[in-house]
C-alpha cells in the first residue's frame, strides 16, 4: 500500500512544479501592451516606432544626459553609470532576460531616469517607442 | 640534530622581548588618532570631534531591500558610516539624491530608512549630520595627506572619494580593514 503514498506524493510534487509561477511576473511584450493601453488614450496615437525610440534613446533632451550616457549607444552592451562608474547590466531584453520583466521595476526606473534626463515624466508614447526599439536590439 | 636546552631561559627571554616589541608596533596600528585623538579633537568631545563611524559598521544581517535598492549606482554604504540623522535626511530627499532621482515607493523608503537609522554609527556623539560620508571628520582624518598621497585622488581608476572599492576591495561588504587595502597603480 505504501507505493500509493509515494505515487501520490510524486504526483503532487510534479503538479506543484508545473504550476509554479515563472521567476518573472511579466514579459516585455506584456509590458509593451500595457504601455500601449495607456497611450491609446492619447488623441492622435498611431502606435509605437522603434526608429523613433532609437532616436529618443540616443538624443539629449535639453540637459547633459541622454539614455545612452549610462546605457551606451549599444543597449545590448554593458553600461556604466555616468557619475559613479558602476557597471550596469545590458538594458535590451534580447541581451538580458531580466529586463522589462517586472512592471514595478519598469515604472520605478522610468520615473527616476526620465526625471534625470528630461526633468519630467516620459509619456506613454515615448516609453513605448523606447521599449519597441530595445526589443529590436541584437545581442 | 638534537636541541640543546642549556640556553632555554635566555631564548625564552629573547622571545618574550621580541614579542612585546612586535605587539607594541602592531598596536600602533590605527595611527596617531588612537593616541592623540582625544587631545587633538576638533571641538566636540571625543575622538574626531565626536564624528566617528560606528563599530561594527553594519550588522551581520544586511536588509535585503537596502542591499538591492541602494547598490545599483554605487555600493550600499554601510549604515555605521554616518549618524542616524544623516540617514534620515538622505532618505527624505531621494528625489534629489546628489543630482539624481533615486526615489522609492513609500513602503520601500520606510523599510530602508528604519534599517539605516537603527544601524547608524554608535560612536557619533556630535550633533552634526553631514550628507556625505566623505565630509565627516573621521573620513577626512583617515584619508588626509599624511595617509594618502594627493596623486591617488587624481588616478582615473579612483575617480572620487565616494568610490570606496577603488582601494577597499571589500567595501561592498562593509569591510574596510586596513590590511585589505590595495591602492590602484
Amino acid at each position: 500500500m505504501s507505493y500509493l503514498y509515494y505515487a501520490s506524493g510524486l504526483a503532487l510534487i510534479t503538479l506543484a512544479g508545473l504550476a509554479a509561477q515563472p521567476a518573472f511576473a511579466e514579459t516585455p511584450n506584456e509590458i509593451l501592451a500595457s504601455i500601449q493601453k495607456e497611450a491609446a488614450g492619447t488623441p492622435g496615437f498611431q502606435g509605437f516606432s522603434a526608429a523613433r525610440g532609437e532616436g529618443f534613446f540616443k538624443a539629449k533632451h535639453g540637459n547633459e544626459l541622454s539614455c545612452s550616457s549610462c546605457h551606451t549607444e549599444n543597449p545590448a552592451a554593458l553600461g556604466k553609470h555616468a557619475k559613479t562608474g558602476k557597471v550596469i547590466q545590458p538594458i535590451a531584453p534580447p541581451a538580458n532576460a531580466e529586463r522589462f520583466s517586472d512592471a514595478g521595476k519598469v515604472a520605478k526606473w522610468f520615473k527616476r531616469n526620465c526625471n534625470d534626463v528630461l526633468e519630467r515624466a516620459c509619456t506613454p508614447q515615448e516609453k513605448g517607442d523606447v521599449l519597441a526599439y530595445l526589443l529590436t536590439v541584437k545581442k | 640534530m638534537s636541541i640543546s636546552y642549556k640556553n632555554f631561559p635566555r631564548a625564552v627571554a629573547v622571545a618574550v622581548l621580541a614579542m612585546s616589541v612586535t605587539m607594541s608596533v602592531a598596536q600602533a596600528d590605527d595611527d596617531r588618532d588612537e593616541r592623540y585623538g582625544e587631545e587633538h579633537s576638533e571641538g566636540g568631545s571625543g575622538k574626531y570631534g565626536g564624528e566617528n563611524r560606528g563599530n561594527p559598521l553594519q550588522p551581520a544581517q544586511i536588509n535585503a531591500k537596502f542591499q538591492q535598492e541602494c547598490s545599483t549606482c554605487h555600493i550600499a554604504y554601510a549604515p555605521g558610516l554616518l549618524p542616524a540623522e544623516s540617514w534620515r535626511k538622505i532618505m527624505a530627499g531621494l528625489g534629489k539624491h546628489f543630482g539624481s532621482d533615486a526615489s522609492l515607493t513609500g513602503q520601500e523608503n520606510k523599510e530602508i530608512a528604519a534599517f539605516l537609522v537603527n544601524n547608524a554609527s554608535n560612536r557619533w556623539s556630535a550633533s552634526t549630520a553631514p550628507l556625505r560620508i566623505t565630509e565627516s571628520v573621521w573620513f577626512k582624518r583617515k584619508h588626509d595627506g599624511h595617509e594618502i598621497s594627493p596623486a591617488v585622488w587624481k588616478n582615473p581608476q579612483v575617480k572620487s572619494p565616494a568610490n570606496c572599492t577603488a582601494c577597499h576591495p571589500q567595501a561592498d561588504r562593509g569591510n574596510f580593514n586596513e590590511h585589505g587595502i590595495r591602492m590602484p597603480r
Side-chain angles (χ1 to χ4, degrees), chain B residues 5-173:
Chain B
Y5 288 102
K6 197 168 60 166
N7 289 320
F8 191 71
R10 187 186 300 179
V12 170
V14 170
V16 169
L17 191 62
M19 281 193 292
S20 51
V21 169
T22 308
M23 281 310 294
S24 61
V25 171
Q27 293 294 334
D29 177 37
D30 210 3
D31 27 63
R32 307 153 275 136
D33 302 301
E34 289 294 349
R35 282 191 294 264
Y36 303 124
E38 301 290 343
E39 300 157 27
H40 295 248
S41 56
E42 248 66 7
S45 59
K47 201 161 163 180
Y48 306 120
E51 293 193 357
N52 197 4
R53 73 272 194 233
N55 186 8
L57 279 175
Q58 60 187 36
Q61 275 290 91
I62 298 296
N63 179 284
K65 263 249 167 282
F66 160 70
Q67 185 62 48
Q68 182 193 320
E69 295 294 335
C70 305
S71 60
T72 42
C73 304
H74 53 55
I75 60 162
Y77 295 106
L81 295 171
L82 282 172
E85 188 55 28
S86 292
W87 292 124
R88 280 190 205 102
K89 292 201 287 194
I90 297 275
M91 294 306 290
L94 284 180
K96 289 196 186 307
H97 184 63
F98 302 104
S100 288
D101 183 339
S103 48
L104 296 163
T105 67
Q107 185 52 43
E108 289 167 338
N109 192 312
K110 204 165 150 202
E111 181 181 337
I112 293 172
F115 169 74
L116 289 169
V117 164
N118 291 337
N119 292 284
S121 173
N122 56 5
R123 300 192 297 187
W124 193 291
S125 56
S127 58
T128 52
L131 289 178
R132 293 180 188 272
I133 293 163
T134 53
E135 281 168 4
S136 59
V137 174
W138 74 260
F139 183 93
K140 288 198 272 200
R141 185 78 62 75
K142 286 289 186 191
H143 297 81
D144 69 14
H146 293 288
E147 299 286 351
I148 296 169
S149 146
V152 168
W153 301 115
K154 298 197 174 74
N155 186 326
Q157 282 183 71
V158 174
K159 202 163 177 164
S160 131
N163 183 16
C164 311
T165 47
C167 304
H168 296 278
Q170 306 249 337
D172 56 345
R173 268 168 274 185

Side-chain angles (χ1 to χ4, degrees), chain A residues 83-84 86 108 111 115-116, chain B residues 69 71 73 98 101 103:
Chain A
K83 194 163 174 181
T84 67
K86 185 122 201 274
K108 175 190 297 182
K111 174 184 192 277
N115 249 350
D116 286 342
Chain B
E69 295 294 335
S71 60
C73 304
F98 302 104
D101 183 339
S103 48

Side-chain angles (χ1 to χ4, degrees), chain A residues 17-117:
Chain A
L18 289 171
Q21 288 299 314
F24 307 126
E26 288 103 6
T27 66
N29 280 313
E30 281 167 354
I31 289 183
L32 190 61
S34 68
I35 298 174
Q36 178 141 17
K37 252 203 237 153
E38 277 186 76
T42 325
F45 175 65
Q46 286 183 330
F48 299 132
S49 150
R52 202 165 44 216
E54 179 173 6
F56 183 89
F57 188 89
K58 294 178 178 175
K60 293 199 177 146
H61 302 267
N63 292 314
E64 278 312 301
L65 292 174
S66 63
C67 308
S68 49
S69 300
C70 293
H71 292 295
T72 81
E73 299 274 307
N74 175 11
L78 286 176
K80 196 168 153 188
H81 195 279
K83 194 163 174 181
T84 67
K86 185 122 201 274
V87 169
I88 298 171
Q89 294 303 309
I91 192 73
N96 185 345
E98 290 182 25
R99 294 305 197 182
F100 294 95
S101 63
D102 178 333
K105 194 169 169 183
V106 171
K108 175 190 297 182
W109 283 101
F110 265 134
K111 174 184 192 277
R112 289 172 172 174
N113 293 161
C114 291
N115 249 350
D116 286 342
V117 172

